[in-house]
Amino acid sequence: MSLEKLAHLSGVTPASVYLSSATEFLVDVLSLKGLLIISVDNEHDEFTEGALSTFFSYKGTPTSIVFEEEAFSKDLIINQKAIKLDHNYIDDIDEGTMSEKYDFYACPFGKLEESRLIAIAYSDINLLSKEQVEFYEFNCKILGNIFQLRSDYEFERSKLIDQSKKDALTGLFNLESFAGELKKSMQNTRSQKAMIACMVVTLDDFTSINTKYGFDLGNDVLFEIGNKLQNFVTPRDFVGRIGGDRFGIVLRNIGSDFDTKSVATRVANIFRKGLLPVGKELTASIGITVFPDDSLNSDDLIARAEIAAKIAKRTPGTHTAFYKELESNY
């Protein structure tokens, strides 16, 4: 692994791949026998029993090596320096002789207070010169910092991607993500010859609620409904907020229309439990489609459930309508 190739990889590869390449570079250049990256699993950089765990092992480097607290000097923490570990405080559970056969060098991998990682290299006795140890120390800091930047970038990117899939108010799937999850569920269900129910729950006259009580209370109601629906469904099902006053529910692997009706009845009961100030009742219209009977397309399944919800809205109070029943009646 050349330094030029490693520099190129720093900007184009996942953090895990970069870490593997960085450790390969150190092992090759310094002719090391192996290299471990260990994590300090407490907040005070104390190397107490149970505080250290293996984060990464380079190509078969034994992970059974045990480092006692006394093996690490204050120079490692305070001055962020590479140190040679005392053999008396190193043991290997499997072989028992590694501490006698090799020299061990520990160095913060990046900034210890940020990465909480320590690189531990081992080589033949007295192989590394002072200059090589300094080279090891310098590169551990540089390569560790780059790895940390890559890790931070991937973490923040993952958060942004996750946020883009969610409705900002309720934390549920937004319409695009809801439709995407429904499409994947339909693809997975085709081979199982099972059914999926798609419900669209539309709140009745919600605009007047915002007008009368204010948008803050309206948002609180939407959040509460989303929370209740999320807690209502099973782990295999999912919920989304697919419009201002519309929620979607997908029930995977339903057995029959009767099962769906039973669930819809229980969903309707959610709206009868004090979501608005005393004396006021919030109602909803629920439209239902079933895959594969009503459509083989996810967007059509949602659109037809919305049509059914509009028909259900014609009946005062919380009411449910199946799209397939509408087709037979109109």
Side-chain angles (χ1 to χ4, degrees):
M1 174 64 63
S2 68
L3 189 58
E4 291 78 9
K5 184 177 180 181
L6 188 60
H8 172 70
L9 290 176
S10 66
V12 297
T13 61
S16 58
V17 176
Y18 178 78
L19 179 60
S20 179
S21 300
T23 53
E24 180 182 352
F25 167 75
L26 290 172
V27 170
D28 288 348
V29 171
L30 295 172
S31 300
L32 301 174
K33 290 296 183 181
L35 194 147
L36 290 171
I37 305 292
I38 61 175
S39 174
V40 183
D41 298 327
N42 61 34
E43 297 180 357
H44 306 291
D45 301 331
E46 295 175 352
F47 305 104
T48 54
E49 183 177 357
L52 300 177
S53 61
T54 301
F55 181 80
F56 177 82
S57 172
Y58 173 75
K59 290 186 177 179
T61 301
T63 58
S64 56
I65 306 171
V66 177
F67 303 95
E68 298 179 22
E69 179 182 356
E70 292 82 0
F72 302 95
S73 72
K74 296 291 184 181
D75 213 26
L76 175 69
I77 303 173
I78 298 174
N79 298 321
Q80 306 280 296
K81 294 288 187 180
I83 60 170
K84 186 175 181 179
L85 301 182
D86 189 330
H87 286 194
N88 293 319
Y89 301 110
I90 304 171
D91 193 16
D92 179 57
I93 296 173
D94 293 335
E95 297 182 19
T97 59
M98 288 192 67
S99 61
E100 301 172 6
K101 294 165 57 178
Y102 304 111
D103 283 334
F104 290 80
Y105 297 88
C107 182
F109 195 67
K111 294 180 180 179
L112 185 57
E113 64 271 18
E114 295 180 9
S115 71
R116 315 199 64 73
L117 298 176
I118 297 172
I120 299 182
Y122 66 95
S123 65
D124 289 329
I125 297 291
N126 298 323
L127 174 68
L128 298 186
S129 65
K130 179 182 177 182
E131 290 74 18
Q132 287 175 309
V133 173
E134 290 175 350
F135 176 89
Y136 170 65
E137 176 186 301
F138 176 79
N139 280 277
C140 276
K141 292 178 180 178
I142 298 298
L143 299 177
N145 285 336
I146 295 173
F147 169 72
Q148 188 63 39
L149 287 172
R150 291 294 305 172
S151 298
D152 291 345
Y153 165 76
E154 289 174 12
F155 177 74
E156 293 300 328
R157 182 173 181 271
S158 177
K159 281 203 310 184
L160 288 173
I161 291 174
D162 186 59
Q163 289 171 2
S164 71
K165 296 179 180 179
K166 300 295 180 67
D167 170 61
L169 176 62
T170 63
L172 302 174
F173 284 129
N174 57 27
L175 175 58
E176 182 180 358
S177 300
F178 181 83
E181 289 296 315
L182 174 57
K183 184 177 181 179
K184 286 193 290 186
S185 297
M186 292 164 65
Q187 291 170 342
N188 294 336
T189 302
R190 278 194 177 98
S191 60
Q192 302 171 10
K193 296 183 179 180
M195 294 191 297
I196 293 175
C198 175
M199 295 184 183
V200 169
V201 181
T202 303
L203 307 184
D204 296 332
D205 197 24
F206 195 73
T207 301
S208 66
I209 293 173
N210 281 329
T211 302
K212 185 172 183 178
Y213 299 108
F215 286 98
D216 287 344
L217 185 139
N219 286 340
D220 289 344
V221 171
L222 290 171
F223 178 83
E224 183 66 17
I225 291 172
N227 190 48
K228 286 179 178 293
L229 292 176
Q230 184 65 60
N231 291 332
F232 171 80
V233 300
T234 66
R236 70 183 180 186
D237 306 323
F238 58 90
V239 180
R241 184 185 176 206
I242 59 175
D245 58 1
R246 302 194 313 281
F247 293 85
I249 304 173
V250 167
L251 307 175
R252 294 185 174 110
N253 299 324
I254 59 171
S256 65
D257 287 350
F258 177 80
D259 293 338
T260 307
K261 285 182 180 179
S262 175
V263 173
T265 299
R266 285 183 285 145
V267 169
N269 288 333
I270 290 175
F271 297 92
R272 301 190 177 100
K273 297 180 180 178
L275 289 169
L276 292 178
V278 177
K280 304 296 180 181
E281 181 179 332
L282 180 65
T283 62
S285 301
I286 304 171
I288 303 171
T289 49
V290 176
F291 168 83
D293 297 352
D294 294 323
S295 179
L296 300 178
N297 179 278
S298 57
D299 292 334
D300 288 345
L301 212 61
I302 296 171
R304 290 173 182 178
E306 289 183 325
I307 292 172
K310 289 179 181 178
I311 300 300
K313 198 181 288 286
R314 296 176 182 176
T315 303
T318 297
H319 191 66
T320 300
F322 277 80
Y323 181 79
K324 65 177 64 177
E325 294 176 355
L326 301 179
E327 283 194 308
S328 61
N329 293 331
Y330 292 92

